[in-house]
Amino acid sequence: MAYRSLLSVVQAADNFPSYPLPPSAPPAPYLPFHLTLSDYLAHLPPLGLLRPDVLRQMRAVAEDEEKHGKGALWKFHQGGKPDETGNWVAKIECVYFHEDVVQGGKDALGKRMAEIVGKWRDEGVFPGPLAGWRNELYSIYASPQSSAFISSSKVKEAFSNLAFPLERAACAIFGLATFGVHLTAYEGEGQDMKIWVPRRSKTKPTWPGRLDNSVAGGIPSGMTPFDSIIKECDEEASLPGDLVRKHIKATGVMSYFYITEDGYLQPEVEYIYDLPLPPSDSAEYVKPAPHDDEVESFALMSVPELIEALHGNDMKPNCGLVYVDFLMRHGIVTPETEPNFLEISWKMHRKLGVSAPM
């Protein structure tokens, strides 16, 4: 049987076109969203990228806040150039937070952002992403070199460049990077290995009923990747913490830039783990099983069955990406068998052009 490249599987998750990264301006029609004006002027990576309709809503919010005597959360830096007649044409070049709010720290920023996106949800603004409201906060990071961190001695610590927390469903509105953990649980080795593949619950707000990674989830604000994967192993797959800690292997990160069908930007980073399970005849063997309402069932797939599933358009896109990485790391997909090996590798580890944790 002729080999089918897995490039299309990767492209389903990393589907935002490549673009010049900072210090270059983002591609039209997107505008950079910064923590401070100084960060923009210093050409630091922005927090996120804003669509024109999001910019309009942000300006409307700022005008309404000022009209009611409440200091605006956002400010809009204007630049411009002369037109053909020599008249100066002003345009907004970036959006950033009001200095007073930034000085209040991440909690003040998080509170103001929560008020606004909560109001948008109640009013039906941006119904696509906000329909998936989770009541779960994600960490939004600014560049470690941000002027907001100048006086902080903690910014040299891991994950200390936190700008503010935000409801996870709202992150795509502002084109903010999100961060998750994905684990592949498997039995055996090489071509004879079998991989545990769950099917998502049909009640999930995103990608209901699709195939998923063995264990996966977003990293809640305030948690580390390792703590998150331990929590998710219990919640999604009934895998005991002691077993996971004993056998889990951290294998790196993946980064990709996804744009949804309705045009929302989702730059994402996933911390990747392998979990080689003990042999089925071992006393410590545990079979993954649904624990909460997020997973419908688990199937133990052979390598050919997994590859067929990857080509079957039945998998959550970023989970397909993680399985391709797994197959490459375990020597099943190789430069000799995959004609697009290098392009696949690059697309799974691209620079996103927005801020990430240090």
Tab-separated table of all heavy atoms in Angstrom, residues 32 59 153 191 198 213 215 255 295 357:
chain	number	residue	atom	x	y	z
A	32	PRO	N	-0.930	44.405	17.061
A	32	PRO	CA	-0.345	43.829	18.276
A	32	PRO	C	-1.042	44.357	19.527
A	32	PRO	O	-1.415	45.528	19.609
A	32	PRO	CB	1.112	44.283	18.220
A	32	PRO	CG	1.086	45.538	17.408
A	32	PRO	CD	-0.017	45.367	16.400
A	59	ARG	N	-12.373	49.533	21.440
A	59	ARG	CA	-12.515	50.991	21.410
A	59	ARG	C	-13.868	51.406	21.981
A	59	ARG	O	-13.967	52.410	22.710
A	59	ARG	CB	-12.360	51.505	19.977
A	59	ARG	CG	-10.965	51.315	19.407
A	59	ARG	CD	-10.813	51.977	18.046
A	59	ARG	NE	-10.769	53.439	18.181
A	59	ARG	CZ	-10.640	54.260	17.157
A	59	ARG	NH1	-10.564	53.777	15.915
A	59	ARG	NH2	-10.588	55.557	17.346
A	153	SER	N	11.749	41.402	41.240
A	153	SER	CA	12.913	40.524	41.342
A	153	SER	C	12.557	39.083	41.024
A	153	SER	O	13.430	38.238	40.867
A	153	SER	CB	13.491	40.591	42.762
A	153	SER	OG	12.511	40.163	43.713
A	191	GLN	N	6.976	-1.202	16.525
A	191	GLN	CA	5.814	-1.452	15.667
A	191	GLN	C	4.731	-2.262	16.377
A	191	GLN	O	3.566	-2.251	15.948
A	191	GLN	CB	6.268	-2.184	14.390
A	191	GLN	CG	7.138	-1.349	13.470
A	191	GLN	CD	6.347	-0.288	12.717
A	191	GLN	OE1	5.115	-0.302	12.704
A	191	GLN	NE2	7.057	0.638	12.081
A	198	PRO	N	-8.623	7.916	23.468
A	198	PRO	CA	-9.989	8.147	23.946
A	198	PRO	C	-10.849	8.854	22.905
A	198	PRO	O	-10.341	9.473	21.969
A	198	PRO	CB	-9.768	9.046	25.161
A	198	PRO	CG	-8.552	9.831	24.803
A	198	PRO	CD	-7.683	8.930	23.958
A	213	ASN	N	-6.049	12.799	22.563
A	213	ASN	CA	-4.858	12.172	23.137
A	213	ASN	C	-5.231	11.420	24.399
A	213	ASN	O	-6.258	11.688	25.019
A	213	ASN	CB	-3.790	13.214	23.431
A	213	ASN	CG	-3.152	13.770	22.177
A	213	ASN	OD1	-3.027	14.969	22.020
A	213	ASN	ND2	-2.765	12.898	21.253
A	215	VAL	N	-4.382	11.552	27.410
A	215	VAL	CA	-4.738	12.529	28.443
A	215	VAL	C	-4.335	13.900	27.913
A	215	VAL	O	-3.245	14.048	27.350
A	215	VAL	CB	-4.022	12.256	29.781
A	215	VAL	CG1	-4.351	13.337	30.799
A	215	VAL	CG2	-4.386	10.878	30.321
A	255	SER	N	4.729	23.580	19.467
A	255	SER	CA	4.092	24.880	19.278
A	255	SER	C	3.545	24.957	17.864
A	255	SER	O	4.181	24.489	16.910
A	255	SER	CB	5.093	26.015	19.528
A	255	SER	OG	6.245	25.858	18.729
A	295	VAL	N	-14.610	12.337	28.781
A	295	VAL	CA	-14.204	11.219	27.921
A	295	VAL	C	-15.338	10.203	27.863
A	295	VAL	O	-15.899	9.811	28.879
A	295	VAL	CB	-12.917	10.558	28.446
A	295	VAL	CG1	-12.571	9.328	27.622
A	295	VAL	CG2	-11.762	11.555	28.430
A	357	PRO	N	5.689	31.835	28.533
A	357	PRO	CA	6.380	31.807	29.827
A	357	PRO	C	7.867	31.608	29.664
A	357	PRO	O	8.323	30.947	28.713
A	357	PRO	CB	5.738	30.633	30.565
A	357	PRO	CG	5.163	29.782	29.484
A	357	PRO	CD	4.753	30.708	28.391
